[in-house]
Amino acid sequence: MLTEKSLSSYSISMTIPPNNHPQRPKIGLALSGASGRAIAHIGILEVFRENNIPIDYISACSSGCVVAASFACGTMDKLKEDWLKLERKTLLDFFMLDKTSNGIFDLEKFGQWVAAYTNGKRLEEVAPRLGFVSADIVSGVPVLLSLGDIAKAAQASCAVPGLFRPVDWGGMRLVDGGLYNIVPTTQAKEMGADIVIGVDIAATRYMFSNKWYPIKKTYDALRNSLPARAYMKVHRAIDKILVSATRAQADTDPGVFALLDRALEITIANAEKYKGVISGYDLLLEPNVKHLGKISFKNSLMMLEEGRRIAMGALPKIRKLIDSKTL
């Protein structure tokens, strides 16, 4: 029996007929996060579905993951119906106080809400293929989740450091992918897309706006000053004498402020390296919703319609892209 491995060295003597059927390019959609503004993504996907624009891959960040999951699982219409009824109080009900020192809240209830739109499916079981962007707060590297539980992956991509507890995943401590780039266009390309359509609904390029940068740099300067270093040295010496082994173990688990500090460190490094430039896309859609509140649901219908408007206007460009890359 021939295996895939053995076929690489197995010679078949036959004439292969020419391929007379054009092969369309694979299309990837990169959905940014921005909390309640993500309903604009639903409007865009509705237009693509109505006009037979095929989507093979969706890379998503933060709240964009919720829309991507429902689209791939066939429940987007239900999500739209429910989203239009959402109120700020409903969102706040998702916030359960965290029992650890790693965040103010955990996202367990949020994960349960997302799971209601996934039909129990996993990332590798749906089409289009999904990739949720997160970041390992320990190593400082971006992580593309494309295997495993959809709801848990969405939790990881939405776990804002300092606000929500990180999600443990395969030995990593995952947080919001917006630490790197809130529009995950390069990840859509990595997944296999020939054409990448980015959708940007975020007011900033990264999860933390640049107003945080001076605060972080001032904090670092104070922390590294001679008096601060002397205080920390004395504090650690006292801890060794007075603190039990359980506390020593807890010290390996950073608290909420340490996680926030690390997140700002990663964001600033990426902002300085990439200058906030979105790259790796063929077309970037920017619905006019960035000025609207992220957790104000009174404008949900307006944002949905704006997503539809921007998608309708982009249809000629998308079809031209498809034609230009069809083999």
Side-chain angles (χ1 to χ4, degrees), residues 293-304:
K294 293 196 294 184
I295 57 172
S296 176
F297 294 101
K298 64 182 180 181
N299 294 310
S300 290
L301 182 58
M302 181 193 306
M303 291 188 280
L304 175 76

Side-chain angles (χ1 to χ4, degrees), residues 33-152:
S35 300
R37 294 183 202 138
I39 194 171
H41 296 323
I42 295 179
I44 289 170
L45 283 163
E46 279 185 335
V47 170
F48 287 176
R49 184 176 61 188
E50 293 162 5
N51 290 273
N52 299 314
I53 301 297
I55 302 297
D56 300 283
Y57 307 98
I58 303 180
S59 59
C61 179
S62 197
S63 59
C65 297
V66 183
V67 177
S70 69
F71 180 77
C73 294
T75 60
M76 190 176 73
D77 292 338
K78 175 61 176 170
L79 176 64
K80 170 187 168 181
E81 178 185 341
D82 294 343
W83 201 304
L84 290 173
K85 298 175 185 175
L86 282 177
E87 297 177 351
R88 184 175 298 185
K89 181 182 181 301
T90 312
L91 181 67
L92 294 176
D93 285 343
F94 293 153
F95 292 9
M96 297 176 58
L97 288 175
D98 184 36
K99 296 177 182 178
T100 72
S101 62
N102 299 155
I104 301 172
F105 305 101
D106 73 34
L107 287 168
E108 184 178 345
K109 276 193 174 181
F110 171 78
Q112 293 170 359
W113 180 67
V114 176
Y117 301 100
T118 66
N119 293 327
K121 294 180 179 177
R122 293 168 60 85
L123 288 163
E124 65 271 25
E125 295 174 342
V126 298
R129 288 301 307 271
L130 299 178
F132 292 171
V133 181
S134 191
D136 181 9
I137 194 70
V138 178
S139 66
V141 300
V143 177
L144 183 66
L145 301 173
S146 56
L147 300 171
D149 182 76
I150 293 177
K152 185 177 179 181

Side-chain angles (χ1 to χ4, degrees), residues 140-181:
V141 300
V143 177
L144 183 66
L145 301 173
S146 56
L147 300 171
D149 182 76
I150 293 177
K152 185 177 179 181
Q155 280 182 252
S157 189
C158 292
V160 177
L163 185 61
F164 299 114
R165 179 175 45 150
V167 173
D168 295 322
W169 187 298
M172 299 178 290
R173 308 213 70 196
L174 300 184
V175 297
D176 197 310
L179 291 184
Y180 286 88
N181 194 333

Side-chain angles (χ1 to χ4, degrees), residues 17 37-38 52 68 127 137 159 161 168 176 186-187 190 193 202 213 217 227-228 234 236 243 251 271 292 305 310:
R37 294 183 202 138
N52 299 314
I137 194 70
D168 295 322
D176 197 310
T186 55
Q187 285 84 359
E190 290 169 7
Y213 303 170
K217 290 182 178 179
V234 173
R236 283 193 292 268
V243 180
D251 283 345
L292 300 173
E305 292 299 330
I310 205 80

